[in-house]
Amino acid sequence: MSNLDRQATLTVCGGRGFVVAEPVRELLSPRHVQLGESTQVRRLLPNLGRRMVGAWAFVDHYGPDDIADEPGMQVPPHPHMGLQTVSWLHEGEVLHRDSTGSLQTIRPRELGLMTSGRAISHSEESPRPHAPLLHGAQLWVALPDAHRHVEPHFQHHADLPRVTAPGLTATVILGELDGAASPGTTYTPLVGADLALTAGTETNLPLDPDFEYAVLAMSGEAHVDGVPVLPGSMLYLGCGRTELPLRATSDAGLMLLGGEPFEEEIVMWWNFVGRTDEEIREAREAWMASDRFGEVKGYDGARLDAPEVPPTQLKARGRVR
């Protein structure tokens, strides 16, 4: 999914200076962003004061939206570099096309994982015809410097491992949770899991104390470490936890995101993750003027133009001056 914000700003992320090295309960409120004509998303990352969780650098939550008489998701071809996109649905379908030739319909609780590496472009749209409801999350994972120029590729995994306990089903999207490992390719130690809780459930989820964590609320009413987390909000949990208390007052859906704190400082702008201001500007010009990002074939419509990069100069160690 694209960041369609025409006023996109250069954002410095990563580095251990932003990491909380102990357990905390920091509730993050979303910023509402229009995505196309009929989809509005709630943006949780990057957030004021909280840029990343492990290598997770971008989180949008959308829906549930009634799109029965609407076009639904319509995101034209656009570029990415230096990151992985994770498409995750609770309801509806999304048709993915990209410049490597991938064409895949992603359905609820199936993993659509696109590794942009050095450069890729893709589109996302609700199929025609499509289901009446659309509900899901779009997430980005920043690639470390050693792997950020890998060849672009796309993976689709319909059958993912699950961890179960009374009243809890945890689907492992990426990484490993309680001994269950996702088949999705990762480049840093991290975890992403979809948690389905039945009403009245009280349980403790095992965690890695070296990871920092956050929980995104997708649906229902749940308490995370005693904090009520409403759908469309996210609770940052810091590091140092060996388990996470969960309690559901209704059937509830959550997403657990975690990973080792991302050591490198990165620069994120529009749909690019880089390391310097100059690199971001070069990528923007390449999208507008060259074939570096390839062509998305089969999409019925024009591709997105990039907004102008703001004049902000990023200097020593990538920090904004």
Side-chain angles (χ1 to χ4, degrees):
M1 185 181 292
S2 173
N3 176 7
L4 299 186
D5 190 349
R6 306 307 294 178
Q7 304 298 319
T9 57
L10 288 159
T11 303
V12 178
C13 305
R16 286 188 174 268
F18 293 98
V19 177
V20 179
E22 61 186 5
V24 296
R25 302 175 187 87
E26 180 183 310
L27 192 61
L28 305 180
S29 298
R31 180 167 65 94
H32 294 268
V33 178
Q34 194 67 32
L35 189 71
E37 296 181 1
S38 58
T39 302
Q40 187 180 80
V41 302
R42 291 167 285 278
R43 184 152 299 160
L44 282 311
L45 286 181
N47 197 299
L48 183 64
R50 181 61 48 206
R51 302 302 190 186
M52 297 178 72
V53 178
W56 299 97
F58 182 96
V59 176
D60 275 353
H61 173 246
Y62 54 90
D65 295 326
D66 183 350
I67 60 169
D69 299 316
E70 302 288 343
M73 184 179 293
Q74 297 294 325
V75 182
H78 57 278
H80 286 287
M81 75 170 193
L83 58 89
Q84 294 177 290
T85 65
V86 176
S87 298
W88 190 253
L89 290 169
H90 275 194
E91 295 181 274
E93 298 175 337
V94 172
L95 178 62
H96 166 96
R97 304 175 192 264
D98 68 44
S99 54
T100 71
S102 300
L103 176 63
Q104 180 66 53
T105 299
I106 302 168
R107 297 179 173 85
R109 292 178 172 82
E110 297 179 354
L111 172 60
L113 177 63
M114 186 182 75
T115 301
S116 67
R118 56 179 176 77
I120 200 171
S121 56
H122 76 138
S123 65
E124 291 172 295
E125 57 188 308
S126 296
R128 305 171 189 173
H130 54 252
L133 294 178
L134 181 64
H135 181 205
Q138 182 75 21
L139 312 99
W140 297 357
V141 178
L143 292 172
D145 191 62
H147 299 287
R148 65 191 182 101
H149 299 296
V150 300
E151 285 297 307
H153 58 276
F154 177 78
Q155 295 174 304
H156 174 248
H157 296 286
D159 187 16
L160 295 169
R162 290 176 173 83
V163 175
T164 60
L168 168 69
T169 300
T171 302
V172 185
I173 303 168
L174 280 182
E176 183 175 337
L177 179 67
D178 198 25
S182 166
T185 301
T186 57
Y187 296 89
T188 55
L190 55 74
V191 65
D194 182 89
L195 311 178
L197 297 161
T198 59
T201 297
E202 291 192 40
T203 189
N204 290 324
L205 193 68
L207 299 182
D208 184 333
D210 293 330
F211 282 16
E212 60 176 338
Y213 288 96
V215 170
L216 168 66
M218 298 286 287
S219 60
E221 299 180 16
H223 288 70
V224 179
D225 196 18
V227 179
V229 185
L230 298 177
S233 62
M234 188 162 72
L235 183 67
Y236 177 70
L237 297 162
C239 298
R241 296 175 179 268
T242 58
E243 61 180 18
L244 181 63
L246 301 172
R247 178 168 62 89
T249 54
S250 70
D251 290 351
L254 306 170
M255 290 187 73
L256 175 73
L257 306 175
E260 284 189 0
F262 200 76
E263 294 275 3
E264 304 167 25
E265 287 188 338
I266 62 175
V267 178
M268 188 162 66
W269 176 81
W270 197 44
N271 298 297
F272 304 138
V273 169
R275 297 300 185 275
T276 65
D277 180 2
E278 291 75 18
E279 187 179 1
I280 294 294
R281 294 176 189 278
E282 288 172 3
R284 190 262 179 196
E285 293 306 312
W287 171 243
M288 296 298 291
S290 77
D291 60 359
R292 169 180 163 185
F293 291 91
E295 179 184 357
V296 178
K297 296 182 179 179
Y299 181 82
D300 184 15
R303 70 180 199 166
L304 283 178
D305 285 340
E308 293 292 334
V309 183
T312 305
Q313 293 297 310
L314 304 176
K315 299 181 181 178
R317 298 189 62 234
R319 295 193 181 277
V320 180
R321 298 300 185 187

